[in-house]
Amino acid sequence: LFLSPSAVAVKQRAMSQKKIFLVIIAISTVSLLLHHGGHFSWPMEAFHLGCPSLRSHPATGLKPKSTNVAFLKTHKTASTTMQNLLFRFAERNNLTVALPVQACSHQFCYPRVFTSHFVHPHTMPPNIITSHMRFNKAELQRLMPNDTIYVTILREPGSMFESLFSYYNQYCQSFKRVPNGSLEAFLEEPWRYYRPDEKDSMYARNTLTFDLGGDKDRPATDVAYARAFVAEVDRVFSLVMIAEYFDESLVLLRHLLSWDLDDILYVKLNMRTLSSKRSLSPGLPSKIRAWNSLDARLYDHFNASLWRQLSALGPACVAREVRLLRRAQDRLMKSCFGEQMPLLRSASQIKNKDLRPWQPIGKVDIVGYDLPVNLSHGFSSQSQELCLKLIMPEVQYTRVLLRSQSLNYRRNYQLRSPQQPRTLQQPIRTVLPRHQGEIKNCWILNLAIHFDQD
Ligand SMILES: *[C@@H]1O[C@H](CO)[C@@H](O)[C@H](O)[C@H]1NC(C)=O
Ligand SMILES: *[C@@H]1O[C@H](CO)[C@@H](O)[C@H](O)[C@H]1NC(C)=O
Ligand SMILES: *[C@@H]1O[C@H](CO)[C@@H](O)[C@H](O)[C@H]1NC(C)=O
Ligand SMILES: *[C@@H]1O[C@H](CO)[C@@H](O)[C@H](O)[C@H]1NC(C)=O
Ligand SMILES: *[C@@H]1O[C@H](CO)[C@@H](O)[C@H](O)[C@H]1NC(C)=O
């Protein structure tokens, strides 16, 4: 075949253009892979395929993720861990998290009943809401998008009450009056120490019922109230998680919201040291249940309903997802902290006061992690930020989110109204330090975590 010189030149040019095109394709493929398959994405191991959808919808895996979630954060129930997970999900997906106004501190002015006045205007309209509040359905429904999914979490009343009693021992007057801080003495004659209308009395009786907006002091004999209250909670909340079966609850949550495994990874937050926990002597659990009868009823109902949902999903399927979750979690911990896991320290040993978890007065000892000093080597700042956020205590994370959302809000506001006054343009320092030296300091700061699930 003969080609004229000009034809050869044309063909060569076409070939080199093709080469360039292929190189570009290759580069973008690699960068796409690097971008998405980086440090913290795990092979899904056909995660979507094994388990049938909880809802009748045929293709859970292809359904878009639900992004509008109201999580009622209850007290002493592993809810801080859930909040951290939701904060991270929101940041990854550019969602807005409703946060409290400064006057409310990091909670929505708990124990007052929630109203939208407690929500910071820079965090509206929200996709997610998760900070402590006393539940108010009507007000939340006005605030949140109409396809919002409601979720909460409960804990077994015996261990929960023991935890409340020890955690709030010096704050709640009903507990403070008890001689020798004895749980037995309190349960022997609760009405001797308990005052229903006193400050912090919600920690001393039916705390879950109170958080859910109910009447903690309804007598146990008012069975109709208890039944109606449980039915109402059942109607409003699509999922009631159970702290004792946290990973199983997360599997249900993942299916409910069509989320990925990556979306439910967590590190346990907010724990006491072993020495400040105690096991209950025989007879105490039933006294606790009698004193907190509304909570006990809620717990029994929703524990049963959780197990019905798990069995509908299939025990083998649930077990498999739990296994995958724990394996992914192990890998994540190793990527973040290497072989040397962070050392647990009690709060009193943590030097930096600003980052120390809230430490109740008395015998309770809250633990935090002492992070290895030289972990920052070999981390991209992106993965570093994830590791940091995974273990960031509630108050600090709330502050970081509020700053970054305010910044976004102001940017958008400026785009909409270019002639606004200068005062709104002040830069706010929000993000975690990016500079390598500063990042190292972050790790040295003994980032304290407090864990509230026991
Ligand atoms: C979030 O917003 C950033 C910046 O506007 C954008 O680059 C990114 O793609 C967005 N991510 C998602 C998941 O929407
Ligand atoms: C939710 O609100 C949108 C717009 O406000 C409306 O179009 C839609 O029908 C509503 N959906 C439901 C289920 O109420
Ligand atoms: C409190 O504890 C002390 C020492 O353990 C004991 O002697 C005392 O009787 C206790 N008081 C009550 C009211 O239980
Ligand atoms: C929760 O329900 C399951 C299934 O009925 C039961 O086996 C388990 O003991 C219950 N857990 C608690 C803490 O009551
Ligand atoms: C830093 O890391 C190396 C291993 O990567 C370890 O041998 C060394 O002891 C660490 N140094 C400190 C101060 O922790």
Side-chain angles (χ1 to χ4, degrees), residues 259-270:
W259 286 10
D260 293 329
L261 175 65
D262 286 29
D263 297 324
I264 56 169
L265 295 178
Y266 70 93
V267 174
K268 276 184 187 169
L269 295 179
N270 218 349

Side-chain angles (χ1 to χ4, degrees), residues 72 74 152-157 160 205-216 225-235 237 240-242 289 292-306 308:
L72 178 70
T74 48
T152 189
I153 184 165
L154 306 178
R155 180 176 174 193
E156 192 277 313
M160 173 154 176
R205 195 183 192 202
N206 289 316
T207 307
L208 294 172
T209 300
F210 181 87
D211 286 356
L212 283 159
D215 176 2
K216 67 184 167 54
Y225 177 81
R227 204 175 286 148
F229 187 67
V230 167
E232 170 69 4
V233 173
D234 214 344
R235 218 171 10 253
F237 291 87
V240 176
M241 301 170 65
I242 296 289
R289 286 179 63 92
N292 298 280
S293 65
L294 288 167
D295 279 12
R297 202 183 178 98
L298 275 175
Y299 184 82
D300 292 346
H301 177 90
F302 288 106
N303 180 42
S305 122
L306 180 92
R308 268 198 307 278

Side-chain angles (χ1 to χ4, degrees), residues 130-396:
T130 164
S131 300
H132 273 305
M133 69 166 74
R134 184 160 187 225
F135 191 69
N136 176 349
K137 184 180 78 174
E139 197 67 5
L140 273 170
Q141 284 176 342
R142 266 190 330 131
L143 175 74
M144 301 297 291
N146 58 6
D147 62 351
T148 297
I149 292 176
Y150 290 78
V151 178
T152 189
I153 184 165
L154 306 178
R155 180 176 174 193
E156 192 277 313
S159 66
M160 173 154 176
F161 197 72
E162 188 275 323
S163 174
L164 288 164
F165 189 82
S166 103
Y167 204 78
Y168 294 108
N169 206 276
Q170 298 302 309
Y171 295 89
C172 173
Q173 291 300 315
S174 304
F175 292 157
K176 214 172 166 179
R177 287 189 191 97
V178 184
N180 287 354
S182 156
L183 179 58
E184 286 80 357
F186 179 85
L187 289 167
E188 206 51 55
E189 300 170 277
W191 284 108
R192 183 164 166 192
Y193 311 108
Y194 176 73
R195 310 278 184 279
D197 299 322
E198 211 166 58
K199 182 176 170 292
D200 292 342
S201 67
M202 66 281 175
Y203 298 130
R205 195 183 192 202
N206 289 316
T207 307
L208 294 172
T209 300
F210 181 87
D211 286 356
L212 283 159
D215 176 2
K216 67 184 167 54
D217 293 304
R218 259 323 150 106
T221 48
D222 192 346
V223 177
Y225 177 81
R227 204 175 286 148
F229 187 67
V230 167
E232 170 69 4
V233 173
D234 214 344
R235 218 171 10 253
V236 174
F237 291 87
S238 303
L239 175 65
V240 176
M241 301 170 65
I242 296 289
E244 281 72 25
Y245 312 103
F246 190 67
D247 289 350
E248 289 80 1
S249 299
L250 280 179
V251 169
L252 291 179
L253 182 77
R254 189 188 89 70
H255 281 259
L256 175 67
L257 304 177
S258 307
W259 286 10
D260 293 329
L261 175 65
D262 286 29
D263 297 324
I264 56 169
L265 295 178
Y266 70 93
V267 174
K268 276 184 187 169
L269 295 179
N270 218 349
M271 276 188 322
R272 286 174 293 167
T273 55
L274 281 175
S275 63
S276 43
K277 288 185 210 170
R278 41 164 300 178
S279 51
L280 297 176
S281 48
L284 280 199
S286 62
K287 282 181 184 161
I288 290 174
R289 286 179 63 92
W291 175 243
N292 298 280
S293 65
L294 288 167
D295 279 12
R297 202 183 178 98
L298 275 175
Y299 184 82
D300 292 346
H301 177 90
F302 288 106
N303 180 42
S305 122
L306 180 92
W307 283 95
R308 268 198 307 278
Q309 286 170 272
L310 289 171
S311 97
L313 193 55
C317 160
V318 172
R320 186 162 151 276
E321 289 209 8
V322 167
R323 209 163 50 237
L324 287 173
L325 170 63
R326 289 183 183 155
R327 212 183 294 158
Q329 216 127 261
D330 271 359
R331 266 186 301 216
L332 178 59
M333 287 299 275
K334 286 219 174 75
S335 316
C336 278
F337 311 116
E339 293 305 321
Q340 354 145 232
M341 296 302 268
L343 303 169
L344 280 175
R345 288 280 153 81
S346 65
S348 52
Q349 289 173 297
I350 292 166
K351 293 178 200 88
N352 188 302
K353 284 204 178 74
D354 295 334
L355 290 174
R356 202 178 285 167
W358 182 71
Q359 175 72 44
I361 304 169
K363 290 177 287 190
V364 186
D365 205 359
I366 302 296
V367 284
Y369 284 134
D370 208 356
L371 290 167
V373 173
N374 64 358
L375 271 182
S376 54
H377 299 299
F379 270 165
S380 71
S381 62
Q382 199 189 346
S383 18
Q384 184 130 42
E385 190 165 313
L386 169 60
C387 297
L388 210 57
K389 297 266 170 87
L390 259 172
I391 54 158
M392 188 175 278
E394 171 178 5
V395 177
Q396 285 88 331

Side-chain angles (χ1 to χ4, degrees), residues 35 89-95 408 411:
H35 192 71
F89 181 84
E91 283 199 297
R92 267 200 313 286
N93 295 283
N94 293 342
L95 303 173
N408 280 340
R411 270 202 203 110

